[in-house]
Amino acid sequence: MCICQLGNLQEEDQPEQINEQTEDEPQQKEEPTGLSSESLTSEKKVEPSTSNPEVIKIQAWWRGTLVRRTLLHAVIRALIIQRWWKQILTKLMEKRRRAALETFTRKEWAAVKLQSWVRMWRIRRRYCRLLNAARIIQAYWRCHTCASRGFIKGHYRVTANQLHLELEILLGSGPCIVSECIPLPIKQ
């Protein structure tokens, strides 16, 4: 039953008897302990009048008001507990989300760092191969100049996957110019 329905309880839904015992109320004994039956007869008992319909209506209204108030307090307590539990769950989910984000970030950073190291290693290997090839070519040119009594002049340019050579060979008959682009067999 929701709060809006609590205020709409009708009087006809309320109990008609005022002397009924409820579960929460202790039962009253007819004879209090320590008193004799003579003293009871001498005292006059006052019983409420159940024949008056206005009294019954007021009592029913008051009982309904008490029930509605009790239910309202129970609903408010339940809402407070639910709000507290929702805040706890929100904090817990935020901690889990943050932990998952940190783990993901750490893994991504490690992957990026590893990829950069592999790229650096591959580029260094390629550079070392090209540098070694340039040294071999330079040594060959020096030896060739000495052996043929001619003159070899040249330029080279190394790109990512090609070696560009421009050679000018001067022998006794005349100059010979050679331009070549040599693809380098570099495995990707």
PDB file of all heavy atoms in Angstrom, residues 10-16 18 54-68:
ATOM      1  N   GLN A  10     -11.161   4.248   4.458  1.00  0.00           N
ATOM      2  CA  GLN A  10     -12.507   4.671   4.837  1.00  0.00           C
ATOM      3  C   GLN A  10     -12.847   4.114   6.201  1.00  0.00           C
ATOM      4  O   GLN A  10     -12.269   3.128   6.671  1.00  0.00           O
ATOM      5  CB  GLN A  10     -13.507   4.182   3.799  1.00  0.00           C
ATOM      6  CG  GLN A  10     -13.265   4.810   2.440  1.00  0.00           C
ATOM      7  CD  GLN A  10     -14.277   4.306   1.430  1.00  0.00           C
ATOM      8  OE1 GLN A  10     -15.101   3.482   1.752  1.00  0.00           O
ATOM      9  NE2 GLN A  10     -14.190   4.827   0.229  1.00  0.00           N
ATOM     10  N   GLU A  11     -13.814   4.735   6.802  1.00  0.00           N
ATOM     11  CA  GLU A  11     -14.200   4.342   8.144  1.00  0.00           C
ATOM     12  C   GLU A  11     -14.802   2.951   8.172  1.00  0.00           C
ATOM     13  O   GLU A  11     -14.698   2.245   9.160  1.00  0.00           O
ATOM     14  CB  GLU A  11     -15.213   5.344   8.711  1.00  0.00           C
ATOM     15  CG  GLU A  11     -14.616   6.716   8.921  1.00  0.00           C
ATOM     16  CD  GLU A  11     -15.673   7.714   9.321  1.00  0.00           C
ATOM     17  OE1 GLU A  11     -16.843   7.320   9.489  1.00  0.00           O
ATOM     18  OE2 GLU A  11     -15.328   8.881   9.474  1.00  0.00           O
ATOM     19  N   GLU A  12     -15.398   2.537   7.093  1.00  0.00           N
ATOM     20  CA  GLU A  12     -16.035   1.231   7.099  1.00  0.00           C
ATOM     21  C   GLU A  12     -15.011   0.107   7.110  1.00  0.00           C
ATOM     22  O   GLU A  12     -15.331  -1.019   7.465  1.00  0.00           O
ATOM     23  CB  GLU A  12     -16.964   1.089   5.893  1.00  0.00           C
ATOM     24  CG  GLU A  12     -16.248   1.310   4.579  1.00  0.00           C
ATOM     25  CD  GLU A  12     -17.211   1.629   3.478  1.00  0.00           C
ATOM     26  OE1 GLU A  12     -18.219   2.291   3.731  1.00  0.00           O
ATOM     27  OE2 GLU A  12     -16.942   1.198   2.351  1.00  0.00           O
ATOM     28  N   ASP A  13     -13.730   0.393   6.726  1.00  0.00           N
ATOM     29  CA  ASP A  13     -12.686  -0.625   6.771  1.00  0.00           C
ATOM     30  C   ASP A  13     -12.153  -0.799   8.188  1.00  0.00           C
ATOM     31  O   ASP A  13     -11.410  -1.733   8.450  1.00  0.00           O
ATOM     32  CB  ASP A  13     -11.527  -0.231   5.850  1.00  0.00           C
ATOM     33  CG  ASP A  13     -11.957  -0.236   4.402  1.00  0.00           C
ATOM     34  OD1 ASP A  13     -12.959  -0.922   4.103  1.00  0.00           O
ATOM     35  OD2 ASP A  13     -11.298   0.430   3.588  1.00  0.00           O
ATOM     36  N   GLN A  14     -12.479   0.095   9.112  1.00  0.00           N
ATOM     37  CA  GLN A  14     -11.947   0.063  10.469  1.00  0.00           C
ATOM     38  C   GLN A  14     -12.783  -0.900  11.305  1.00  0.00           C
ATOM     39  O   GLN A  14     -13.981  -1.080  11.094  1.00  0.00           O
ATOM     40  CB  GLN A  14     -11.993   1.471  11.090  1.00  0.00           C
ATOM     41  CG  GLN A  14     -11.199   2.491  10.326  1.00  0.00           C
ATOM     42  CD  GLN A  14      -9.728   2.121  10.288  1.00  0.00           C
ATOM     43  OE1 GLN A  14      -9.194   1.635  11.267  1.00  0.00           O
ATOM     44  NE2 GLN A  14      -9.102   2.343   9.150  1.00  0.00           N
ATOM     45  N   PRO A  15     -12.175  -1.513  12.321  1.00  0.00           N
ATOM     46  CA  PRO A  15     -12.940  -2.432  13.192  1.00  0.00           C
ATOM     47  C   PRO A  15     -13.959  -1.659  14.013  1.00  0.00           C
ATOM     48  O   PRO A  15     -13.746  -0.517  14.393  1.00  0.00           O
ATOM     49  CB  PRO A  15     -11.871  -3.062  14.082  1.00  0.00           C
ATOM     50  CG  PRO A  15     -10.673  -2.209  13.946  1.00  0.00           C
ATOM     51  CD  PRO A  15     -10.787  -1.489  12.643  1.00  0.00           C
ATOM     52  N   GLU A  16     -15.086  -2.319  14.318  1.00  0.00           N
ATOM     53  CA  GLU A  16     -16.201  -1.678  15.008  1.00  0.00           C
ATOM     54  C   GLU A  16     -16.095  -1.831  16.525  1.00  0.00           C
ATOM     55  O   GLU A  16     -16.657  -1.057  17.269  1.00  0.00           O
ATOM     56  CB  GLU A  16     -17.531  -2.283  14.531  1.00  0.00           C
ATOM     57  CG  GLU A  16     -17.839  -1.965  13.085  1.00  0.00           C
ATOM     58  CD  GLU A  16     -18.164  -0.502  12.871  1.00  0.00           C
ATOM     59  OE1 GLU A  16     -18.749   0.144  13.757  1.00  0.00           O
ATOM     60  OE2 GLU A  16     -17.810   0.013  11.796  1.00  0.00           O
ATOM     61  N   ILE A  18     -14.381  -1.822  20.229  1.00  0.00           N
ATOM     62  CA  ILE A  18     -13.286  -1.115  20.888  1.00  0.00           C
ATOM     63  C   ILE A  18     -12.629  -1.972  21.957  1.00  0.00           C
ATOM     64  O   ILE A  18     -11.556  -1.668  22.421  1.00  0.00           O
ATOM     65  CB  ILE A  18     -13.772   0.198  21.522  1.00  0.00           C
ATOM     66  CG1 ILE A  18     -14.907  -0.074  22.490  1.00  0.00           C
ATOM     67  CG2 ILE A  18     -14.135   1.193  20.472  1.00  0.00           C
ATOM     68  CD1 ILE A  18     -15.297   1.117  23.321  1.00  0.00           C
ATOM     69  N   GLU A  54     -21.314   7.771  17.542  1.00  0.00           N
ATOM     70  CA  GLU A  54     -20.310   8.823  17.362  1.00  0.00           C
ATOM     71  C   GLU A  54     -18.996   8.429  18.013  1.00  0.00           C
ATOM     72  O   GLU A  54     -17.921   8.689  17.487  1.00  0.00           O
ATOM     73  CB  GLU A  54     -20.802  10.160  17.952  1.00  0.00           C
ATOM     74  CG  GLU A  54     -21.894  10.841  17.168  1.00  0.00           C
ATOM     75  CD  GLU A  54     -23.277  10.308  17.534  1.00  0.00           C
ATOM     76  OE1 GLU A  54     -23.420   9.709  18.614  1.00  0.00           O
ATOM     77  OE2 GLU A  54     -24.190  10.467  16.715  1.00  0.00           O
ATOM     78  N   VAL A  55     -19.087   7.786  19.180  1.00  0.00           N
ATOM     79  CA  VAL A  55     -17.877   7.342  19.879  1.00  0.00           C
ATOM     80  C   VAL A  55     -17.156   6.291  19.033  1.00  0.00           C
ATOM     81  O   VAL A  55     -15.928   6.310  18.895  1.00  0.00           O
ATOM     82  CB  VAL A  55     -18.243   6.788  21.280  1.00  0.00           C
ATOM     83  CG1 VAL A  55     -17.047   6.132  21.932  1.00  0.00           C
ATOM     84  CG2 VAL A  55     -18.798   7.884  22.158  1.00  0.00           C
ATOM     85  N   ILE A  56     -17.926   5.398  18.476  1.00  0.00           N
ATOM     86  CA  ILE A  56     -17.326   4.339  17.655  1.00  0.00           C
ATOM     87  C   ILE A  56     -16.641   4.947  16.428  1.00  0.00           C
ATOM     88  O   ILE A  56     -15.531   4.559  16.056  1.00  0.00           O
ATOM     89  CB  ILE A  56     -18.402   3.318  17.238  1.00  0.00           C
ATOM     90  CG1 ILE A  56     -18.892   2.572  18.475  1.00  0.00           C
ATOM     91  CG2 ILE A  56     -17.856   2.346  16.204  1.00  0.00           C
ATOM     92  CD1 ILE A  56     -20.052   1.657  18.222  1.00  0.00           C
ATOM     93  N   LYS A  57     -17.268   5.947  15.829  1.00  0.00           N
ATOM     94  CA  LYS A  57     -16.666   6.591  14.652  1.00  0.00           C
ATOM     95  C   LYS A  57     -15.371   7.312  15.014  1.00  0.00           C
ATOM     96  O   LYS A  57     -14.382   7.241  14.299  1.00  0.00           O
ATOM     97  CB  LYS A  57     -17.644   7.569  14.020  1.00  0.00           C
ATOM     98  CG  LYS A  57     -18.745   6.912  13.246  1.00  0.00           C
ATOM     99  CD  LYS A  57     -19.616   7.934  12.560  1.00  0.00           C
ATOM    100  CE  LYS A  57     -20.726   7.265  11.775  1.00  0.00           C
ATOM    101  NZ  LYS A  57     -21.539   8.224  11.061  1.00  0.00           N
ATOM    102  N   ILE A  58     -15.369   8.005  16.148  1.00  0.00           N
ATOM    103  CA  ILE A  58     -14.155   8.710  16.576  1.00  0.00           C
ATOM    104  C   ILE A  58     -13.042   7.723  16.878  1.00  0.00           C
ATOM    105  O   ILE A  58     -11.883   7.926  16.497  1.00  0.00           O
ATOM    106  CB  ILE A  58     -14.454   9.619  17.786  1.00  0.00           C
ATOM    107  CG1 ILE A  58     -15.352  10.779  17.361  1.00  0.00           C
ATOM    108  CG2 ILE A  58     -13.166  10.139  18.407  1.00  0.00           C
ATOM    109  CD1 ILE A  58     -15.846  11.622  18.510  1.00  0.00           C
ATOM    110  N   GLN A  59     -13.395   6.633  17.562  1.00  0.00           N
ATOM    111  CA  GLN A  59     -12.378   5.625  17.873  1.00  0.00           C
ATOM    112  C   GLN A  59     -11.831   4.980  16.602  1.00  0.00           C
ATOM    113  O   GLN A  59     -10.626   4.766  16.469  1.00  0.00           O
ATOM    114  CB  GLN A  59     -12.970   4.560  18.797  1.00  0.00           C
ATOM    115  CG  GLN A  59     -13.230   5.070  20.196  1.00  0.00           C
ATOM    116  CD  GLN A  59     -13.977   4.069  21.034  1.00  0.00           C
ATOM    117  OE1 GLN A  59     -14.527   3.093  20.521  1.00  0.00           O
ATOM    118  NE2 GLN A  59     -14.003   4.305  22.344  1.00  0.00           N
ATOM    119  N   ALA A  60     -12.705   4.690  15.667  1.00  0.00           N
ATOM    120  CA  ALA A  60     -12.256   4.107  14.400  1.00  0.00           C
ATOM    121  C   ALA A  60     -11.364   5.076  13.636  1.00  0.00           C
ATOM    122  O   ALA A  60     -10.334   4.690  13.066  1.00  0.00           O
ATOM    123  CB  ALA A  60     -13.469   3.719  13.553  1.00  0.00           C
ATOM    124  N   TRP A  61     -11.765   6.335  13.645  1.00  0.00           N
ATOM    125  CA  TRP A  61     -10.933   7.354  12.976  1.00  0.00           C
ATOM    126  C   TRP A  61      -9.555   7.435  13.626  1.00  0.00           C
ATOM    127  O   TRP A  61      -8.534   7.518  12.954  1.00  0.00           O
ATOM    128  CB  TRP A  61     -11.631   8.700  13.041  1.00  0.00           C
ATOM    129  CG  TRP A  61     -10.759   9.831  12.596  1.00  0.00           C
ATOM    130  CD1 TRP A  61     -10.505  10.202  11.318  1.00  0.00           C
ATOM    131  CD2 TRP A  61      -9.991  10.695  13.430  1.00  0.00           C
ATOM    132  NE1 TRP A  61      -9.633  11.256  11.286  1.00  0.00           N
ATOM    133  CE2 TRP A  61      -9.292  11.575  12.588  1.00  0.00           C
ATOM    134  CE3 TRP A  61      -9.824  10.805  14.805  1.00  0.00           C
ATOM    135  CZ2 TRP A  61      -8.447  12.558  13.087  1.00  0.00           C
ATOM    136  CZ3 TRP A  61      -8.991  11.781  15.288  1.00  0.00           C
ATOM    137  CH2 TRP A  61      -8.296  12.653  14.426  1.00  0.00           C
ATOM    138  N   TRP A  62      -9.518   7.420  14.953  1.00  0.00           N
ATOM    139  CA  TRP A  62      -8.235   7.523  15.666  1.00  0.00           C
ATOM    140  C   TRP A  62      -7.361   6.292  15.396  1.00  0.00           C
ATOM    141  O   TRP A  62      -6.156   6.409  15.184  1.00  0.00           O
ATOM    142  CB  TRP A  62      -8.476   7.713  17.158  1.00  0.00           C
ATOM    143  CG  TRP A  62      -7.179   7.861  17.898  1.00  0.00           C
ATOM    144  CD1 TRP A  62      -6.645   7.008  18.807  1.00  0.00           C
ATOM    145  CD2 TRP A  62      -6.242   8.941  17.768  1.00  0.00           C
ATOM    146  NE1 TRP A  62      -5.449   7.474  19.251  1.00  0.00           N
ATOM    147  CE2 TRP A  62      -5.172   8.670  18.622  1.00  0.00           C
ATOM    148  CE3 TRP A  62      -6.218  10.096  17.010  1.00  0.00           C
ATOM    149  CZ2 TRP A  62      -4.088   9.518  18.752  1.00  0.00           C
ATOM    150  CZ3 TRP A  62      -5.129  10.936  17.147  1.00  0.00           C
ATOM    151  CH2 TRP A  62      -4.080  10.646  18.001  1.00  0.00           C
ATOM    152  N   ARG A  63      -7.951   5.109  15.411  1.00  0.00           N
ATOM    153  CA  ARG A  63      -7.183   3.900  15.101  1.00  0.00           C
ATOM    154  C   ARG A  63      -6.635   3.969  13.679  1.00  0.00           C
ATOM    155  O   ARG A  63      -5.482   3.625  13.418  1.00  0.00           O
ATOM    156  CB  ARG A  63      -8.058   2.656  15.283  1.00  0.00           C
ATOM    157  CG  ARG A  63      -8.184   2.218  16.715  1.00  0.00           C
ATOM    158  CD  ARG A  63      -8.751   0.817  16.805  1.00  0.00           C
ATOM    159  NE  ARG A  63     -10.050   0.677  16.150  1.00  0.00           N
ATOM    160  CZ  ARG A  63     -11.212   0.862  16.730  1.00  0.00           C
ATOM    161  NH1 ARG A  63     -11.269   1.221  17.991  1.00  0.00           N
ATOM    162  NH2 ARG A  63     -12.335   0.714  16.054  1.00  0.00           N
ATOM    163  N   GLY A  64      -7.439   4.434  12.739  1.00  0.00           N
ATOM    164  CA  GLY A  64      -6.973   4.581  11.350  1.00  0.00           C
ATOM    165  C   GLY A  64      -5.833   5.578  11.254  1.00  0.00           C
ATOM    166  O   GLY A  64      -4.863   5.378  10.513  1.00  0.00           O
ATOM    167  N   THR A  65      -5.955   6.684  12.009  1.00  0.00           N
ATOM    168  CA  THR A  65      -4.880   7.684  12.011  1.00  0.00           C
ATOM    169  C   THR A  65      -3.593   7.075  12.553  1.00  0.00           C
ATOM    170  O   THR A  65      -2.506   7.288  11.989  1.00  0.00           O
ATOM    171  CB  THR A  65      -5.288   8.911  12.861  1.00  0.00           C
ATOM    172  OG1 THR A  65      -6.489   9.448  12.336  1.00  0.00           O
ATOM    173  CG2 THR A  65      -4.204   9.971  12.842  1.00  0.00           C
ATOM    174  N   LEU A  66      -3.686   6.300  13.614  1.00  0.00           N
ATOM    175  CA  LEU A  66      -2.497   5.665  14.189  1.00  0.00           C
ATOM    176  C   LEU A  66      -1.877   4.665  13.207  1.00  0.00           C
ATOM    177  O   LEU A  66      -0.651   4.594  13.059  1.00  0.00           O
ATOM    178  CB  LEU A  66      -2.840   4.977  15.507  1.00  0.00           C
ATOM    179  CG  LEU A  66      -3.182   5.902  16.678  1.00  0.00           C
ATOM    180  CD1 LEU A  66      -3.564   5.086  17.905  1.00  0.00           C
ATOM    181  CD2 LEU A  66      -2.009   6.810  16.994  1.00  0.00           C
ATOM    182  N   VAL A  67      -2.726   3.901  12.539  1.00  0.00           N
ATOM    183  CA  VAL A  67      -2.229   2.924  11.567  1.00  0.00           C
ATOM    184  C   VAL A  67      -1.538   3.646  10.409  1.00  0.00           C
ATOM    185  O   VAL A  67      -0.439   3.275   9.983  1.00  0.00           O
ATOM    186  CB  VAL A  67      -3.379   2.024  11.056  1.00  0.00           C
ATOM    187  CG1 VAL A  67      -2.955   1.234   9.840  1.00  0.00           C
ATOM    188  CG2 VAL A  67      -3.838   1.094  12.158  1.00  0.00           C
ATOM    189  N   ARG A  68      -2.176   4.702   9.908  1.00  0.00           N
ATOM    190  CA  ARG A  68      -1.566   5.455   8.806  1.00  0.00           C
ATOM    191  C   ARG A  68      -0.237   6.073   9.234  1.00  0.00           C
ATOM    192  O   ARG A  68       0.733   6.059   8.487  1.00  0.00           O
ATOM    193  CB  ARG A  68      -2.519   6.527   8.304  1.00  0.00           C
ATOM    194  CG  ARG A  68      -3.638   5.981   7.444  1.00  0.00           C
ATOM    195  CD  ARG A  68      -4.415   7.095   6.761  1.00  0.00           C
ATOM    196  NE  ARG A  68      -5.177   7.931   7.695  1.00  0.00           N
ATOM    197  CZ  ARG A  68      -6.380   7.623   8.168  1.00  0.00           C
ATOM    198  NH1 ARG A  68      -6.954   6.504   7.798  1.00  0.00           N
ATOM    199  NH2 ARG A  68      -6.991   8.424   9.006  1.00  0.00           N
TER     200      ARG A  68
END
